[in-house]
């Protein structure tokens, strides 16, 4: 017999809903659609709740929304999430998540099926996996430190891989699906193959392979973005085995790879020279879940994950020849153990757990040492005969071990829900043996620890209105590279302290049905937030204000930012309309504006469904307001722009379906946010007509 209570719990948590794509039936046999804010998430509280009722700033992007726009990257699907965007250029591997203006990899925690995934390198993005692999992307804005740990000042992005249940129809034992697509702008050819099965009632398995190949992009200013071609492939293997009605084990593996000649600088305008770059990211996960049907004290989830991110650069041209050497290697290897349990005691839901991670960072270069450097051209005239493997001083390696324990209590009394939590976390950071040999007179091991609280109150005024408020503290320990950096002969910054933040939010939510007809629903949410960051770790290489050999990094910064986020989602059995608006502003310790913050954003997505949902059409409008930025000490205007997109799908029959999506329909000229300092970035991509046909058998 299949899993009972556990299966229902997993289904409710792991199958987020999309507006007007899944409908529920009320007691009057009326179909009531579900809005996007009704999507189920565990990101905010680790208990299954809708995004609307979580009393947190959390949104869920479903696989249907990703497929609707025929996304090439996960970043293509962020249009309707308030105060969330991407920074960096359109080249492969050039984008990073920006959440409430926090865009560095250390400030936005990313996980894949629970395994921490991170990568940081100069003038590169941080996440490279293909969107075809994911069933959902949950984005929590603001720190979620009690449940997820340090390093999430901006927010948390949790990605969940697809599994067999996303493809199998009721009573179906096995099947396969093939997708073939084309993107007109860069002549991208893409394809995906899925094979899935339920050979027994206890076992689900899925395998997938995705490939993308393209020419260079054409930008919105009519020029070609040189060295922007894509040559990427991804693999997914995942299985779940039900031990009995109360427990299951899962194993998954995913890998993405992109190899090509590209610009060394993929995040900002301007040619720096090209390198041949290979990017590999992989995640392996082993999980165990136990949820006895008649035991309210046990709902156990244990996960072990291992993620690897590796970038190898070679064949650098121009001045990059010496910088890259024969080959430069950058790696992050992260092992994660996460054990959590939820116990229900009358009106209390207690969640507690332990998390451990071991992160290794590697930065090495194989090169021929330069014996004679031309100081005018900065090119080497004479090289040594033998190649030498050395650590990259501006990309220092090391290990960082993290141990965290936490407890959270969710107390419900009538219409009031109070959630309070506390976390203790300890870090131990160790340098490489090469570093210790150079600085043998220093104790290079660094230890940091922190205790942080969080409290949230949610009051349901009536069936439609609720108000909520939260206070959460966040922090991040100094990074490996911040502690051990030796840029231009500077000393390491072994005295760095923890960077802290406080996040205060107040908001209101609204939900109702039967707005215009008996078959529609409306949800809305408004949030005001205020964030203070203290002891911010900043880089200063100015020879006048911070002369060498003083350390590059120090806790010299503070900043404050606040903003609003407003969402309205309407769903009807015949279509949907999703509206969002967000704005943010802030200043630093010198009362100067935070120039890197994103502009005000307004987004509207509407759609209509025809012929029993076999044909669906949609329209997307995104308006990004102008903003002032500081470039080389001079204020400049980043112009506003409005982008319009369209999409349509046709389920021809049970086997065949076709999709089309058009990005930047009117070929509007615009520039994105640069990945370094939030300046005016590269021109965005011009009109892109994307098509796809799929066959299921």
């Amino acid at each position: 017999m299949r899993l009972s209570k556990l299966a229902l719990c997993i289904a409710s948590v792991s199958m987020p809903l999309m507006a007007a794509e899944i409908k529920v039936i009320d007691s009057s046999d009326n179909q009531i659609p579900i809005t996007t804010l009704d999507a189920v998430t565990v990101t905010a509280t680790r208990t299954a709740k809708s995004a609307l009722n979580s009393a947190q700033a959390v949104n869920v992007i479903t696989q249907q929304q990703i497929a609707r726009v025929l996304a090439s990257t996960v970043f293509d699907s962020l249009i309707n999430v308030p105060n969330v965007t991407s920074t960096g250029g359109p080249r492969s591997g050039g984008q990073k998540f920006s959440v409430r203006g926090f865009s560095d990899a250390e400030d936005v925690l990313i996980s894949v099926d629970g395994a921490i995934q991170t990568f940081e390198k100069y003038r590169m993005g941080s996440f490279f996996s293909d969107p075809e692999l994911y069933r959902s992307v949950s984005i929590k804005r603001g720190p979620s430190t009690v449940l997820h740990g340090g390093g999430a000042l901006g927010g948390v992005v949790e990605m969940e891989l697809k599994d067999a249940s996303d493809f199998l129809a009721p009573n179906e034992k096995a099947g396969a699906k093939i997708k073939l697509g084309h993107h007109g702008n860069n002549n991208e050819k893409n394809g995906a193959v899925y094979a899935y099965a339920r050979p027994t009632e206890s076992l689900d398995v899925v395998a997938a392979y995705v490939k993308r190949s393209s020419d260079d992009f054409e930008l919105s200013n009519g020029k070609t973005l040189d060295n922007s071609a894509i040559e990427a492939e991804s693999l997914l293997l995942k299985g779940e085995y039900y031990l009995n009605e109360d427990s299951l084990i899962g194993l998954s593996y995913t890998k993405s790879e992109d190899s090509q000649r590209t610009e060394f600088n993929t995040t900002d305008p301007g040619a720096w020279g090209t390198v041949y770059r290979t990017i590999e990211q992989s995640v392996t996960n082993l999980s165990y879940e136990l949820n006895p049907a008649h035991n309210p004290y046990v709902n156990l989830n244990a996960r072990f994950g291992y993620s690897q991110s590796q970038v190898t650069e070679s064949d650098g041209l121009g001045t990059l020849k010496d910088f890259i050497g024969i080959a430069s290697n950058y790696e992050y290897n992260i092992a994660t153990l996460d054990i959590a349990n939820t116990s229900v005691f009358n009106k209390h839901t207690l969640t507690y757990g332990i998390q451990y991670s071991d992160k290794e960072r590697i930065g090495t270069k194989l090169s021929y040492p330069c014996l004679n450097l031309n100081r005018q051209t900065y090119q080497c005239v004479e090289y040594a005969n033998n190649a030498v493997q050395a650590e990259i001083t501006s990309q220092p390696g090391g290990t960082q071990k993290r141990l965290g324990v936490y407890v959270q209590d969710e107390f419900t009394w009538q219409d009031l829900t109070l959630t309070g939590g506390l976390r203790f976390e300890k870090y131990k950071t160790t340098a490489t043996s090469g570093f210790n040999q150079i600085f043998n007179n220093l104790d290079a091991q660094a230890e940091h620890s922190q205790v942080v609280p969080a409290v949230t109150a949610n009051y349901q005024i009536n069936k439609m209105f609720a108000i909520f408020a939260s206070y959460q503290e966040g922090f991040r320990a100094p990074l490996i590279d911040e502690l051990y950096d030796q840029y231009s002969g500077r000393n390491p910054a072994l005295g760095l302290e923890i960077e802290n933040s406080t996040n205060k939010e107040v908001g209101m939510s609204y939900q109702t049905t039967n707005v215009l007809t008996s078959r529609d629903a409306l949800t809305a949410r408004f949030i005001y937030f205020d964030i203070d960051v203290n002891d911010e770790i900043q880089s200063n290489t100015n020879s006048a204000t911070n002369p060498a050999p003083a350390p590059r990094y120090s806790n010299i910064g503070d900043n404050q930012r606040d903003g609003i986020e407003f969402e309205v989602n309407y769903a009807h059995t015949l279509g949907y309309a999703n509206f969002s608006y967000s704005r943010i502003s802030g200043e630093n310790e010198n009362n100067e504006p935070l120039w890197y913050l994103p502009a005000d954003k307004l987004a509207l997505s509407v759609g209509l469904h025809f012929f029993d949902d076999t044909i669906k059409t949609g329209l997307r409008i995104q308006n990004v307001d102008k903003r002032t930025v500081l470039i080389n000490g001079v204020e400049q205007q980043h112009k506003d722009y409005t982008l319009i997109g369209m999409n349509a799908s046709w389920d021809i029959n049970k086997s065949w379906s076709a999709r089309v999506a058009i990005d930047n329909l009117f070929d509007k000229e615009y520039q994105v946010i640069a990945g370094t300092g939030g300046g005016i970035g590269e021109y965005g991509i011009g009109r892109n007509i994307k098509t796809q046909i799929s066959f299921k058998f």
Side-chain angles (χ1 to χ4, degrees), residues 326-476:
I326 299 173
S328 291
N329 182 57
Y330 310 88
E331 291 184 48
Y332 279 86
N333 303 306
I334 308 172
T336 307
L337 178 63
D338 189 339
I339 302 174
N341 186 60
T342 299
S343 303
V344 178
F345 303 91
N346 195 8
K347 297 178 181 179
H348 294 266
T349 300
L350 199 65
T351 301
Y352 45 95
I354 183 170
Q355 293 174 328
Y356 174 80
S357 68
D358 188 338
K359 176 169 65 177
E360 178 189 33
R361 173 182 159 115
I362 298 173
T364 58
K365 179 172 71 172
L366 178 65
S367 64
Y368 294 103
C370 181
L371 302 179
N372 185 3
L373 178 67
N374 186 324
R375 295 292 178 179
Q376 293 181 340
T377 63
Y378 287 95
Q379 292 186 348
C380 189
V381 179
E382 181 183 2
Y383 296 93
N385 294 324
N386 298 319
V388 175
Q389 180 98 0
E391 295 182 3
I392 302 175
T393 57
S394 60
Q395 184 89 12
T399 61
Q400 188 170 72
K401 298 180 180 181
R402 178 191 69 151
L403 177 65
V405 293
Y406 65 90
V407 61
Q408 174 185 270
D409 181 29
E410 186 177 318
F411 170 71
T412 302
W413 179 70
Q414 296 183 1
D415 296 319
L416 176 66
T417 300
L418 296 175
T419 304
L422 195 68
R423 183 185 188 96
F424 168 77
E425 194 155 277
K426 185 174 183 178
Y427 290 77
K428 180 181 289 187
T429 311
T430 306
T432 64
S433 58
F435 180 95
N436 288 324
Q437 289 177 5
I438 298 173
F439 298 93
N440 54 20
N441 60 327
L442 298 176
D443 181 4
Q445 183 171 283
E447 294 189 5
H448 299 85
S449 62
Q450 190 78 323
V451 177
V452 291
V455 60
T456 300
N458 183 74
Y459 180 67
Q460 194 70 40
I461 300 174
N462 52 41
K463 291 183 179 180
M464 295 183 292
F465 287 97
I467 56 175
F468 55 88
S470 69
Y471 172 84
Q472 300 179 75
E473 293 186 7
F475 74 93
R476 75 168 183 88

